[in-house]
Amino acid sequence: MDKTQLIQLLMETFLVEFDERLHAMSRDVLALETTEAGTAERDKRLLDLMRQAHNLKGAARAVELSLIEKACHQLEEILSAVKKTPALLEQHLIQMIFGVLDGLAEAAKLLRKQESLEGSLLFAVSMEMEMFIETTLRPASERSGTDSAPAAQRSEKEGPSAAIPTVTTQATPHAATVAPAATRTESVSDGTAAQEVLSVRIETDKLDLLLSRSGELLAARQRLRLTSDRLAGLSESLGVLHADWRRYAKTIGQLEAAAAPHGSAGLPAKNRELWTETPQRLQALLTELDKLRLSFREEWRYLDHAGAALDQQVSRIRMLPFAHSCVGFDRMVRDLARAKGKEVELRIEGGDVELDRSILEGLKDPLRHLIRNAVDHGIEKPEDRKRVKKPARGVIVASAALRGGQVEVMVSDDGQGLAKDAIVRRAQKMNLPIPTSDQQLLDLVFAEGFSTAADAVSLVSGRGIGLDVVRTQIKALHGEVDAHSVPGKGMRFRMVVPLTLTLLRVLLVKACQQIFAVSNNYVHKLLRLRQNEVLWVGERPMILVDGLPIPLQPLGEVLALPQTPIKGWPGKRPVLVLKSEHRIAAFLVDELLAEQEVMVKSLGNRVQRLPNIAGAVILPDGYVALTLHVADLLLRQGALTSGQGSLIQKVRADGELDRKRRRILVVDDSVTTRSLEKSLLEAAGFVVELASDGVQGWERVQAGGVDLVLSDVDMPLLNGFQLTQTIRKSDQFRTLPVILITSNDDARSRERGLSAGASAYLTKGNLDQNVLMNLIEQLL
């Protein structure tokens, strides 16, 4: 191998090492800027920075990158002078060192593109360092009569490997290499021997291929389990056949014995031999089949155990700490805060929480966007923070925490929160519905195309810029994102993503003769319901879950598959209740099949992202099942949960004054029922009027001022159905909400009530006070 080929072979390893050392150097420079002179922490950071520069210089020399080698040598000389004279490290010099890191980062990008470093930023900062050394360090060194960088010159003579050896194994252009010094645990200044923890670099494509093969092995193991079950079924069937044959043979023997005294010839000898030997043959076959089944099952268990351990290890290989997705954010926050005249601290919590590499890659852009927004629009300037008695330095926290099979990632700040006025003004300009609650406000800033950039206040407080992109990227990771704002206190964005996008534990369900897979992380409850357990709000079916009514819809209808509308069904049908942190919905399915672990496959680049669909899985029998994107389903169908504050609860909390102005007419011929309903409604804050029959009810409606009618069905003169029809035929009152409450719970009466135009139909037998109040709030 000639020298050129060798350098090309080394370049791939060098670039990986380059990135690692550059990140470590950036971290050390940021620490130098915030630590005090003369402290042990500053000395340690300075020494670490010198070591990184020295080792990078040696690595650059090995691949003949003279400009990088020269820049690192100059940086080492400057740091050596700073170590001797700490007063040199003032803001101008720190800014110059940051410029060196920027030049090195640009050089890495150019090298990956195989472009020349001539005329690059690194070339300019190298000249700046040379000028600083010639005009500042050298004269100071001559005046003191000492060498400004003895350590650097000594190390230069000793060679690039004098400080920490780097072992590289070369075989082919894609051979694995031993990790460089940056991945090892090193002694700092105590003179003890470095403790090396060697690791092997493997190309990500090879890891992906290994994971794919592991997934194929998982499918093969599941097929073998099915084969084992089939063998067990065959053995059982053969045992039944053997028992039946023995009984039949015994019956034939009894008939022959009974026919013998009468001179009957009975069975021929050949047939008699077949009848007598077949049971023994069947028994021998059954015995061999049982041995084969037990042996096969034992081998399958061993293979499944080994395969499961392999799956776990392969998945762990792809796992990386959350801190990897935050690399470089500290520098970004520092630069952006300085440009805005702000003081901001970035904290990373849960950095050791491990996620799949693909998840981490997908999180980088949303995290970067949210952190930039927090610095740019959320954190106030120091003087503004002091005015409201906040610390001058704002704090942004990026954190990760495990939540079962998911990871909760949050970006929060202690800034000013959402700029409600700016968002409302922008909504008015864009002819969008004006938000009336906090949840509607948050939904609006996540809406596609929404931006407050046109408002001047957005330069300091706007919070809608690009958040639709964040939601889109998180949804691509099969996750969800929401936000919470406290005016004057800060903002919190919460993203929930799976640990991995490959191996998932799913529930298999059937709808419209197709099988779908649903992540177990979102399955809240599995129910089997009768038709009379469904509530109706207008034409919308709902069921009670945890005391609250939630939407119910056939899964096939949501997925735009041919589906019969909900009208009624015999017996009980399975219902799948899905729940995220803030939303919940129920889906009627045809059948609940099984729960199992599957390998999720992407639909590929040729298929654009489909609503409600996340990917596909291959089942053991070879059937391909689509995996559902639960966040999509819940966003379109789900009601807000009580934890976040549902529409009902928001009205109770924020709309108490409006409620007292709302007037409900109770129409019932029973004095007891009228009195009971009046007490309940008045206790809830409504104004209540009473009518004893449908005629009085219609007269009171015509008088005006009624916001909702609560009516019985069986009444004299004008029953509830007729009252409802009369209201619906009126041009003035046709939109007035009407709730029918009756003892008739049969399907025919319910259909008649809804056909008459009732907004909701409830039965007195299973009526719950909370359900009634929730329905009234939704209709109002």
Side-chain angles (χ1 to χ4, degrees):
M1 181 183 299
D2 60 25
K3 186 177 181 180
T4 302
Q5 291 177 322
L6 178 60
I7 290 177
Q8 291 177 348
L9 191 64
L10 289 172
M11 184 60 70
E12 183 178 346
T13 302
F14 168 77
L15 289 175
V16 176
E17 179 181 356
F18 198 172
D19 290 340
E20 292 174 352
R21 296 199 182 280
L22 196 57
H23 169 57
M25 292 167 72
S26 178
R27 182 187 60 231
D28 290 335
V29 176
L30 286 168
L32 281 178
E33 188 178 28
T34 56
T35 54
E36 295 182 3
T39 61
E41 175 65 18
R42 172 170 279 202
D43 292 341
K44 178 183 180 299
R45 293 293 185 177
L46 190 60
L47 188 60
D48 288 345
L49 190 56
M50 291 174 62
R51 180 181 290 111
Q52 295 293 347
H54 177 75
N55 287 336
L56 184 57
K57 176 180 67 176
R61 179 185 299 161
V63 290
E64 296 186 350
L65 294 173
S66 57
L67 180 57
I68 295 178
E69 178 188 0
K70 177 183 177 182
C72 291
H73 177 72
Q74 291 169 330
L75 178 59
E76 194 178 2
E77 185 174 352
I78 292 172
L79 295 172
S80 179
V82 170
K83 188 174 184 296
K84 181 180 178 182
T85 310
L88 287 172
L89 192 63
E90 41 79 37
Q91 192 57 46
H92 172 72
L93 182 57
I94 289 177
Q95 201 61 37
M96 180 191 296
I97 296 175
F98 274 123
V100 176
L101 298 183
D102 291 339
L104 291 172
E106 185 198 57
K109 295 179 181 179
L110 293 175
L111 290 173
R112 283 186 169 85
K113 297 178 182 179
Q114 298 182 350
E115 297 179 6
S116 172
L117 300 184
E118 282 295 326
S120 65
L121 176 61
L122 185 60
F123 183 81
V125 296
S126 176
M127 293 183 63
E128 184 180 0
M129 284 192 293
E130 184 174 356
M131 183 177 298
F132 179 78
I133 292 171
E134 293 294 335
T135 60
T136 304
L137 299 188
R138 294 281 165 78
S141 176
E142 291 172 358
R143 286 194 300 268
S144 62
T146 59
D147 186 0
S148 64
Q153 293 179 1
R154 283 197 302 272
S155 63
E156 184 69 20
K157 294 177 181 178
E158 293 168 0
S161 302
I164 299 175
T166 301
V167 182
T168 304
T169 303
Q170 299 295 340
T172 66
H174 300 290
T177 59
V178 178
T183 63
R184 306 175 185 179
T185 303
E186 303 171 353
S187 60
V188 177
S189 58
D190 57 2
T192 59
Q195 296 179 352
E196 297 184 354
V197 180
L198 298 181
S199 59
V200 178
R201 285 201 183 95
I202 301 177
E203 292 180 354
T204 55
D205 290 345
K206 292 182 178 179
L207 282 180
D208 292 341
L209 181 60
L210 180 63
L211 185 67
S212 177
R213 295 291 183 263
S214 176
E216 293 173 3
L217 179 60
L218 172 62
R221 284 158 39 209
Q222 292 174 339
R223 287 195 296 271
L224 288 178
R225 178 179 58 79
L226 291 179
T227 302
S228 177
D229 293 342
R230 292 192 188 101
L231 281 175
L234 180 60
S235 177
E236 183 179 353
S237 299
L238 191 58
V240 172
L241 177 62
H242 177 240
D244 291 344
W245 188 280
R246 291 187 63 179
R247 286 195 297 271
Y248 186 56
K250 184 177 181 180
T251 301
I252 294 297
Q254 292 173 349
L255 291 176
E256 281 192 302
H262 301 286
S264 178
L267 291 173
K270 184 175 181 180
N271 290 346
R272 186 178 297 109
E273 181 181 353
L274 177 64
W275 285 111
T276 56
E277 291 183 0
T278 297
Q280 288 80 8
R281 292 178 182 177
L282 282 176
Q283 181 61 53
L285 182 59
L286 182 60
T287 301
E288 289 300 319
L289 182 58
D290 282 339
K291 289 180 180 179
L292 175 62
R293 178 178 61 84
L294 293 175
S295 175
F296 183 89
R297 188 170 184 82
E298 188 65 27
E299 294 296 331
W300 168 75
R301 285 178 176 173
Y302 176 78
L303 177 63
D304 190 58
H305 179 74
L310 177 62
D311 286 342
Q312 185 178 12
Q313 293 301 320
V314 170
S315 297
R316 288 185 61 186
I317 290 175
R318 288 175 54 93
M319 305 295 275
L320 292 172
F322 169 69
H324 277 224
S325 63
C326 301
V327 171
F329 289 169
D330 46 4
R331 172 70 187 283
M332 177 188 73
V333 169
R334 182 253 184 200
D335 291 345
L336 188 57
R338 287 176 62 86
K340 292 289 182 178
K342 301 178 181 180
E343 297 179 17
V344 184
E345 175 187 356
L346 175 65
R347 298 175 185 171
I348 306 297
E349 298 179 357
D352 56 347
V353 173
E354 293 190 334
L355 297 85
D356 189 278
R357 177 180 60 83
S358 58
I359 296 289
L360 281 179
E361 289 297 322
L363 279 174
K364 281 185 178 179
D365 285 343
L367 282 171
R368 181 183 295 109
H369 192 97
L370 293 177
I371 291 174
R372 285 183 61 88
N373 263 10
V375 177
D376 198 12
H377 311 304
I379 301 294
E380 310 95 329
K381 291 186 176 181
E383 56 271 21
D384 296 329
R385 293 179 63 86
K386 291 178 181 178
R387 192 178 303 117
V388 294
K389 298 182 180 180
K390 288 184 180 181
R393 178 183 291 267
V395 177
I396 301 173
V397 179
S399 64
L402 291 176
R403 296 288 184 267
Q406 297 176 300
V407 177
E408 181 184 75
V409 178
M410 289 198 292
V411 176
S412 59
D413 63 69
D414 63 349
Q416 57 192 336
L418 278 176
K420 294 185 179 180
D421 294 340
I423 293 173
V424 170
R425 284 197 300 270
R426 188 59 180 162
Q428 291 172 336
K429 290 181 180 179
M430 298 176 67
N431 294 322
L432 296 174
I434 305 302
T436 57
S437 66
D438 290 344
Q439 186 59 46
Q440 292 177 6
L441 196 75
L442 293 170
D443 289 340
L444 184 59
V445 298
F446 277 114
E448 183 177 357
F450 183 83
S451 171
T452 58
D455 290 294
V457 293
S458 69
L459 297 176
V460 294
S461 61
R463 273 297 242 211
I465 303 173
L467 292 183
D468 61 315
V469 177
V470 172
R471 171 169 279 179
T472 299
Q473 291 174 319
I474 294 301
K475 286 174 67 175
L477 297 176
H478 305 181
E480 57 180 330
V481 58
D482 55 63
H484 178 69
S485 174
V486 179
K489 299 294 184 180
M491 188 80 185
R492 184 195 68 199
F493 289 91
R494 176 179 173 275
M495 298 169 283
V496 179
V497 294
L499 278 171
T500 176
L501 290 179
T502 50
L503 290 175
L504 288 181
R505 192 77 182 171
V506 300
L507 175 69
L508 299 177
V509 301
K510 180 177 284 187
C512 300
Q513 304 305 312
Q514 296 189 39
I515 298 177
F516 299 94
V518 183
S519 171
N520 273 13
N521 296 321
Y522 291 97
V523 177
H524 179 57
K525 286 186 177 181
L526 301 176
L527 307 173
R528 296 187 70 85
L529 300 179
R530 298 184 184 275
Q531 190 269 340
N532 60 7
E533 295 178 87
V534 178
L535 305 173
W536 292 86
V537 179
E539 292 294 326
R540 190 176 192 187
M542 307 185 83
I543 62 172
L544 283 179
V545 177
D546 301 330
L548 289 175
I550 64 171
L552 173 68
Q553 192 168 0
L555 181 60
E557 182 179 312
V558 178
L559 300 176
L561 299 174
Q563 177 76 44
T564 303
I566 296 179
K567 290 296 182 183
W569 59 83
K572 294 185 175 182
R573 282 193 62 180
V575 173
L576 174 66
V577 181
L578 302 179
K579 182 180 181 182
S580 65
E581 184 71 16
H582 303 313
R583 297 185 184 275
I584 184 171
F587 301 92
L588 198 66
V589 298
D590 297 335
E591 190 176 352
L592 302 173
L593 298 177
E595 179 184 356
Q596 66 184 47
E597 192 172 46
V598 295
M599 169 70 73
V600 178
K601 298 286 188 180
S602 168
L603 296 178
N605 297 329
R606 294 184 179 181
V607 179
Q608 294 182 352
R609 188 182 181 282
L610 302 174
N612 304 318
I613 301 300
V617 299
I618 301 177
L619 303 180
D621 58 2
Y623 189 92
V624 176
L626 296 176
T627 56
L628 298 180
H629 197 297
V630 180
D632 268 6
L633 290 175
L634 292 180
L635 187 62
R636 289 174 170 83
Q637 303 298 128
L640 292 173
T641 63
S642 58
Q644 176 68 8
S646 66
L647 172 64
I648 299 162
Q649 292 173 322
K650 286 187 181 300
V651 173
R652 288 177 180 169
D654 304 328
E656 202 67 32
L657 294 177
D658 290 339
R659 166 182 289 183
K660 291 179 180 179
R661 292 195 298 268
R662 291 178 178 176
R663 191 177 302 271
I664 295 180
L665 174 64
V666 175
V667 185
D668 200 300
D669 61 340
S670 169
V671 176
T672 303
T673 302
R674 289 200 307 268
S675 300
L676 176 61
E677 293 176 354
K678 179 181 180 182
S679 299
L680 293 176
L681 292 170
E682 286 182 341
F686 294 104
V687 176
V688 181
E689 294 194 14
L690 303 176
S692 60
D693 57 51
V695 173
Q696 288 186 11
W698 173 236
E699 290 175 351
R700 180 61 195 85
V701 168
Q702 289 177 301
V706 174
D707 296 301
L708 182 141
V709 175
L710 190 64
S711 175
D712 187 19
V713 170
D714 296 323
M715 297 182 296
L717 302 180
L718 195 70
N719 63 33
F721 296 144
Q722 295 167 333
L723 173 60
T724 304
Q725 290 174 334
T726 302
I727 292 174
R728 293 292 174 253
K729 291 178 181 178
S730 168
D731 293 335
Q732 184 178 357
F733 304 109
R734 61 172 48 179
T735 60
L736 181 66
V738 178
I739 298 178
L740 294 179
I741 302 182
T742 178
S743 300
N744 302 326
D745 61 352
D746 59 286
R748 184 171 178 273
S749 296
R750 180 180 291 105
E751 290 179 7
R752 184 180 175 188
L754 296 176
S755 299
S759 305
Y761 186 98
L762 301 178
T763 56
K764 295 180 179 179
N766 58 1
L767 180 63
D768 183 90
Q769 176 182 345
N770 291 328
V771 174
L772 176 61
M773 294 303 171
N774 288 341
L775 292 177
I776 290 175
E777 296 290 3
Q778 293 190 39
L779 292 173
L780 290 178

